[in-house]
C-alpha cells in the first residue's frame, strides 16, 4: 500500500496572474520532493458593494480554498500581490475567518512560507511578506525563508528576498518571471515540502537507552 501523499497547500490571491504564476512554480518545487503533492487554492475577491457575490467556482485557475484544506495540509505557502505594502484584502478577509482553526491549533507546528508580486521594484515586496507572516505566527506556524545558500539572492536584479519568493511584474503586469525569480520560487516550494516531510517523519529512538 502506498503511503498517503504529503499535502502542501499553496494558497494565493492573484488579480492579474503574476502571483498565480509564482504559486505554480512553488507547486512545482513542492512536487519535486518524493511523496509530496501541492494543493493549489485561491480566495474570492472582496467588494465594497455588499450585494456583490462571487460564483462558487472561479472562472479560471485554482478552486476556492475551504477551511478543511487547512486541516488536511502538512504545510502552507501563502501568496498575495502587494497592496500598499500589505497583503490584499481578499487574503486578509479569508485569514480573518480562521479563528476556530486558531483556537483548535489546526496549523500549529506546521511549516509555512510566503510569496508576493509587485508592480514596481520597490513596491513593498518585503513589507507584504512580513504582513503575511504575522497571522501565520499567531497560528503557531514555523516560518521558512530563503537562505543565501541560493546564489540567486545575490544575483537577482528584480524579485527575490530572504523572506520569500517575489516577482517584479511591472505596472502593467507585462514583465515575465526571470530565471532567478523562477529558481527561487521552485527552491522555496522544495524547502517547504522537505521541512514538512521531516516534521511528519516518526521520531527516532535515542542511540542509547535512558540512563
Amino acid at each position: 500500500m502506498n503511503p498517503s501523499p504529503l499535502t502542501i497547500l499553496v494558497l494565493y490571491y492573484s488579480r492579474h496572474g503574476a502571483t498565480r504564476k509564482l504559486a505554480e512554480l512553488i507547486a512545482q518545487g513542492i512536487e519535486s520532493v518524493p511523496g509530496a503533492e501541492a494543493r493549489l487554492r485561491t480566495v474570492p475577491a472582496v467588494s465594497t458593494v455588499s450585494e456583490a457575490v462571487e460564483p462558487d467556482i472561479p472562472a479560471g485557475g485554482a478552486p476556492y480554498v475551504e477551511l478543511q484544506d487547512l486541516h488536511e495540509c502538512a504545510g502552507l505557502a501563502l501568496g498575495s500581490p502587494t497592496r500598499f505594502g500589505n497583503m490584499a484584502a481578499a487574503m486578509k478577509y479569508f485569514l480573518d475567518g480562521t479563528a476556530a482553526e486558531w483556537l483548535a491549533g489546526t496549523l500549529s507546528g506546521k511549516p509555512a512560507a510566503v510569496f508576493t508580486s509587485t508592480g514596481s521594484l520597490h513596491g513593498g515586496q518585503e513589507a507584504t511578506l512580513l504582513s503575511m507572516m504575522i497571522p501565520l505566527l499567531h497560528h503557531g506556524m514555523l516560518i521558512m525563508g530563503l537562505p543565501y545558500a541560493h546564489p540567486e539572492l545575490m544575483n537577482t536584479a528584480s524579485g527575490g528576498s530572504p523572506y520569500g519568493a517575489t516577482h517584479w511584474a511591472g505596472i502593467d503586469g507585462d514583465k515575465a518571471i526571470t530565471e532567478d525569480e523562477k529558481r527561487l520560487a521552485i527552491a522555496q516550494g522544495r524547502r517547504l515540502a522537505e521541512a514538512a516531510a521531516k516534521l511528519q517523519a516518526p521520531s527516532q529512538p535515542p542511540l542509547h537507552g535512558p540512563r
Side-chain angles (χ1 to χ4, degrees):
M1 180 182 295
N2 293 327
S4 299
L6 192 74
T7 300
I8 308 296
L9 178 60
V10 183
L11 177 58
Y12 69 91
Y13 176 70
S14 188
R15 192 67 174 171
H16 301 293
T19 310
R20 174 183 169 183
K21 291 174 184 175
L22 271 184
E24 291 167 348
L25 288 167
I26 288 171
Q28 181 180 330
I30 289 167
E31 296 193 339
S32 71
V33 176
E37 69 171 14
R39 182 181 297 182
L40 282 159
R41 293 292 184 268
T42 189
V43 295
V46 296
S47 173
T48 56
V49 181
S50 60
E51 291 81 9
V53 177
E54 289 284 335
D56 292 336
I57 301 174
Y64 290 136
V65 68
E66 298 179 354
L67 292 174
Q68 187 61 28
D69 293 315
L70 301 181
H71 291 263
E72 295 175 356
C73 75
L76 170 64
L78 190 69
S80 169
T82 187
R83 295 291 184 267
F84 301 105
N86 208 325
M87 76 180 89
M91 185 59 73
K92 180 67 162 57
Y93 183 82
F94 171 75
L95 292 172
D96 284 349
T98 60
E101 286 66 33
W102 167 64
L103 287 168
T106 300
L107 294 172
S108 183
K110 297 179 181 181
V114 292
F115 58 99
T116 190
S117 65
T118 57
S120 62
L121 183 56
H122 302 292
Q125 290 186 353
E126 293 186 343
T128 302
L129 296 176
L130 291 169
S131 79
M132 288 190 288
M133 289 180 189
I134 293 170
L136 302 184
L137 288 167
H138 278 263
H139 273 283
M141 301 199 80
L142 310 175
I143 306 298
M144 299 190 61
L146 281 166
Y148 278 89
H150 298 286
E152 294 83 3
L153 283 178
M154 296 297 292
N155 299 332
T156 180
S158 54
S161 162
Y163 305 132
T166 67
H167 168 49
W168 175 25
I171 297 299
D172 297 321
D174 57 352
K175 288 185 178 295
I177 292 181
T178 68
E179 283 303 309
D180 285 336
E181 292 172 338
K182 179 180 179 180
R183 291 191 189 100
L184 289 168
I186 293 171
Q188 184 167 22
R190 184 170 57 247
R191 284 174 53 79
L192 182 60
E194 288 172 346
K198 290 177 181 178
L199 289 167
Q200 291 277 316
S203 58
Q204 299 296 317
L207 295 177
H208 304 286
R211 297 179 181 179

